[in-house]
Amino acid sequence: MPLIDTPVTIFWFRRDLRLSDNHGLCRALTRSSAVLPVFIFDRLILGQLPSKQDRRVSFIHTLVDELNTRLTALGSALYVLHEKPVEAFALLTRQFRVHEVIANHDYEPYAIERDAAVSAFLATRNIALTTYKDQVVFEKDEITKSDGTPYTVFTPYAKAWKRQLSTQGISNYPSEQHLGALARLSSPGVPGLDTLGFEAMSPGPAP
């Protein structure tokens, strides 16, 4: 695939395989005129799965393929890699002039370690990794007691959560209105499940 001559901002899709109301994607699209959409099939995760017939992998693969189809219709494409995350970004920074990498927060322990490792690598290239709140309404440090400590009982936490929602509301990030800022490139395609080391799942019995 030919290189893009202009600097790109990478938007790293993870749990958020959608083009609408996507906080990090919206930030990327409004800050850059060439946003490169990226998804990584993480070898560190896939390599630990015991079965080569895994419904989770099949489901995610289908969503990735559908997202690539939508991006292709817009004149862009999803750049899909099957690598360890740091190695994926080493490849990306060799192939593209990366200005910034943007993603949404991921709260799993492995994800926190992964993002720290990717951020440290990118820092050696003077590239920032910036992440945004997207998959939750409030993060844990946004709903606390008056002394700043977390709630340990659900009912007062729920009351505080609802009170803050009523005053603050839910932010809207209309990423779908800014898709003209996607980088223009031909689709390299999505690697098949067999390339990832997995087998397609046969349809289950009809309900």
Side-chain angles (χ1 to χ4, degrees):
M1 185 175 58
L3 296 176
I4 299 172
D5 293 333
T6 58
V8 301
T9 292
I10 288 176
F11 180 72
W12 182 10
F13 283 96
R14 286 105 73 94
R15 297 175 177 270
D16 44 14
L17 297 173
R18 65 187 191 281
L19 297 179
S20 61
D21 193 23
N22 185 318
H23 188 177
L25 179 61
C26 190
R27 296 279 187 174
L29 292 169
T30 55
R31 279 165 34 184
S32 172
S33 59
V35 174
L36 177 66
V38 166
F39 182 85
I40 301 168
F41 282 105
D42 188 341
R43 288 185 182 271
L44 294 174
I45 294 176
L46 299 185
Q48 295 181 9
L49 298 178
S51 172
K52 296 308 177 185
Q53 288 192 332
D54 191 294
R55 293 192 185 279
R56 296 164 297 181
V57 177
S58 294
F59 177 69
I60 292 170
H61 186 270
T62 297
L63 294 181
V64 168
D65 196 47
E66 291 174 352
L67 178 59
N68 184 55
T69 297
R70 293 197 295 274
L71 288 166
T72 300
L74 294 167
S76 186
L78 186 62
Y79 195 102
V80 182
L81 300 100
H82 178 211
E83 297 286 351
K84 298 175 181 178
V86 171
E87 293 175 0
F89 280 98
L91 177 65
L92 287 164
T93 54
R94 290 196 299 269
Q95 292 186 320
F96 299 95
R97 293 168 55 196
V98 181
H99 171 69
E100 184 180 14
V101 178
I102 293 177
N104 288 317
H105 293 341
D106 198 340
Y107 305 96
E108 296 294 328
Y110 166 74
I112 293 170
E113 294 179 3
R114 175 202 61 201
D115 288 359
V118 169
S119 181
F121 167 77
L122 291 172
T124 68
R125 304 292 193 273
N126 296 315
I127 300 168
L129 169 63
T130 308
T131 65
Y132 294 93
K133 179 182 75 174
D134 178 74
Q135 60 176 286
V136 298
V137 177
F138 299 119
E139 294 182 322
K140 62 181 182 180
D141 59 353
E142 294 181 295
I143 308 292
T144 59
K145 294 186 284 187
S146 58
D147 61 0
T149 59
Y151 286 94
T152 57
V153 179
F154 177 74
T155 299
Y157 170 80
K159 290 179 179 178
W161 193 97
K162 292 175 182 177
R163 185 166 56 249
Q164 185 151 326
L165 180 65
S166 67
T167 57
Q168 182 174 318
I170 298 177
S171 299
N172 180 40
Y173 299 100
S175 48
E176 66 278 6
Q177 297 180 13
H178 305 283
L179 297 177
L182 291 166
R184 302 291 164 177
L185 69 159
S186 300
S187 173
V190 177
L193 277 172
D194 56 341
T195 302
L196 301 177
F198 289 83
E199 301 172 9
M201 300 292 294
S202 58

